[in-house]
Every structure is written in structure tokens, then in C-alpha cells.
Amino acid sequence: IYTQELVARVEIVLNKYARKAMGTSEQRRRFFGDLGSMGVVDLIRRMQQGRKSATLYVTGEHNRGTIWFRDGVVIDANTGRLTGEDAVHRLLRWETGSFEIDFRTPQRPVAITTATADLLMEGLRNIDEWATVSEQLPPLNTVFSVDYAALADHLAELPDDANRLLRLFDGRRSADEVIAESDVADLETLELVSQLYFEGIITVAHAGDSEGDGRPVPDYKTSVPPSAAPSL
């Protein structure tokens, strides 16, 4: 009980500090921080609660993204090849990196009409589904290549999005990189990757840095039955 009370009090103090810091920074027009201490979800909520007009710049390990606000409402976003709501959903998953807020009112047309609270709720639901699907796959820094014999057997039944995605699996890009370069929403792309993997159309070429100790990548197809893989 005492631990829960302590945590609650610390969160209250941190929230007060963040509000004060953002208020002071608004007068100076810019506010900088680290995603490890204040994530994108928290930033959007604070902008919404304070009815702020600003531009949020987010820098991850390998990518950058932008979210525009007017009176606390998200009006547009982009990162990589994604724009609008799909870009917001991607940025919500970033846990490491830095951010910068420019408190000048953005001169940007409205591209997102979904209420910000609903946008966050949908984004958090996507994060849960992302975790469920990715648990069934090898680590997403794994490099895949195309098995063209298996592709020939399934080519007629594959959706157009899957055919476009296959061009990115060149034996050099990791699954993460393929998803980042796709012009389809991240969760939909991940589900396509899962379908291609469990149908044997893409196979492990070699693992990324997390498997760099020389150990073989686990055979996820035997540990997860095909029936557990999402079907499209």
C-alpha cells in the first residue's frame, strides 16, 4: 500500500514538473526532452489537456517524425512514407529517442479529423495487436529473403499489398526496415509479414544484432502452430 502511494505521489510531482517545464518552454517557444522520460502518448495527452498549438518533432534511433497540433487537437502527422493517422500510430510505438516541441502555431491544413482521444485509443489498441503478432515471429531485426518456389505456389492468392512488400525482401533488409519502407500502415504490414512467413514465402536469411552471438534463430514455425498465425 505504501509503495503504491509513493508511486502515485511521485507521478503527481513529475506531472507538475512537466506542466511547469512545458509552460516555461512555451514562453521560450521550444521544449526539448527524452522519450524515455516522456513518451509520445504522454506528450499528446499533455498537448491535448493544455489545448496547445505546436509542432512536435520526434527523433528515433533511425527515423524522424512530426505531429502538428492546433488547440490541443492533432491535425496531421508524418514519418517515413506514412502520413496522417498511420504516422501517429507508428510514432506511438517509439520508446527511445528524443523530442522537440515548437510552440508556434503551425500553418498546416487539417488532415486528421478523428478526435485526439479516439486517435490515442486506436493507437494503443494497435500497439497491443502489434505485440501479439510480433510474438509469433522471429525478432523483427531478422533479415528475410524470398523463397521463390513457395512464392510461385501462392502467387495467385496473394493480395496486391503483399506483392509490393515482397520486392523489399532482398536478403539485406530486416523486417523492421521493410515495415519502415512500406507505404501501408504498420500493423497491416506486420500481418502481411506474418502471413508470408507462415506460408513459407519468406524465410530467415540471417538474424540482426540481437542474434549476433552466433546462435541459430529459433524455429518459430515449430514453436507456434500455423493455426496461431493471423490469417488475412
Side-chain angles (χ1 to χ4, degrees):
I1 295 176
Y2 294 129
T3 302
Q4 293 174 350
E5 181 179 353
L6 176 61
V7 170
R9 291 188 179 187
V10 169
E11 288 180 346
I12 291 173
V13 172
L14 290 175
N15 287 336
K16 287 182 178 179
Y17 173 79
R19 286 195 297 269
K20 182 179 179 181
M22 289 184 71
T24 302
S25 298
E26 186 175 3
Q27 298 173 358
R28 300 174 182 172
R29 295 299 184 187
R30 290 186 179 274
F31 177 47
F32 303 86
D34 184 88
L35 293 179
S37 57
M38 189 181 300
V40 176
V41 173
D42 294 329
L43 288 166
I44 293 177
R45 283 175 173 164
R46 294 190 193 287
M47 299 295 288
Q48 181 186 25
Q49 293 167 359
R51 298 182 61 84
K52 306 294 185 184
S53 295
T55 303
L56 169 63
Y57 301 99
V58 185
T59 302
E61 294 182 4
H62 306 290
N63 299 289
R64 302 185 66 183
T66 308
I67 303 177
W68 290 271
F69 298 85
R70 188 171 297 140
D71 298 325
V73 176
V74 176
I75 61 171
D76 199 7
N78 68 32
T79 179
R81 300 181 66 182
L82 299 182
T83 61
E85 295 185 24
D86 291 339
V88 175
H89 294 162
R90 172 180 290 179
L91 291 170
L92 291 178
R93 294 202 325 273
W94 292 9
E95 298 179 346
T96 59
S98 60
F99 67 84
E100 175 187 346
I101 303 176
D102 182 343
F103 284 102
R104 291 174 294 184
T105 300
Q107 303 302 312
R108 182 108 181 161
V110 175
I112 296 177
T113 57
T114 302
T116 299
D118 294 337
L119 183 64
L120 278 176
M121 186 177 300
E122 178 67 13
L124 294 173
R125 183 189 67 81
N126 278 2
I127 289 174
D128 289 339
E129 292 190 18
W130 176 279
T132 299
V133 177
S134 60
E135 283 176 357
Q136 302 170 1
L137 296 168
L140 294 181
N141 65 346
T142 300
V143 174
F144 292 93
S145 58
V146 178
D147 183 327
Y148 289 99
L151 174 61
D153 292 337
H154 295 85
L155 188 59
E157 61 199 52
L158 289 177
D160 291 339
D161 288 340
N163 288 324
R164 291 200 302 271
L165 193 66
L166 282 168
R167 298 189 183 100
L168 300 175
F169 285 106
D170 55 3
R172 295 188 299 272
R173 291 183 178 93
S174 66
D176 268 334
E177 292 171 328
V178 168
I179 292 169
E181 293 183 36
S182 172
D183 57 0
V184 179
D186 284 359
L187 180 59
E188 185 178 346
T189 302
L190 182 66
E191 289 172 338
L192 286 173
V193 171
S194 178
Q195 177 186 1
L196 294 172
Y197 178 71
F198 281 99
E199 289 181 355
I201 298 173
I202 58 173
T203 58
V204 173
H206 62 271
D209 293 340
S210 67
E211 297 289 334
D213 56 3
R215 293 178 298 174
V217 178
D219 186 352
Y220 285 77
K221 292 183 183 178
T222 58
S223 60
V224 180
S227 59
S231 59
L232 300 181

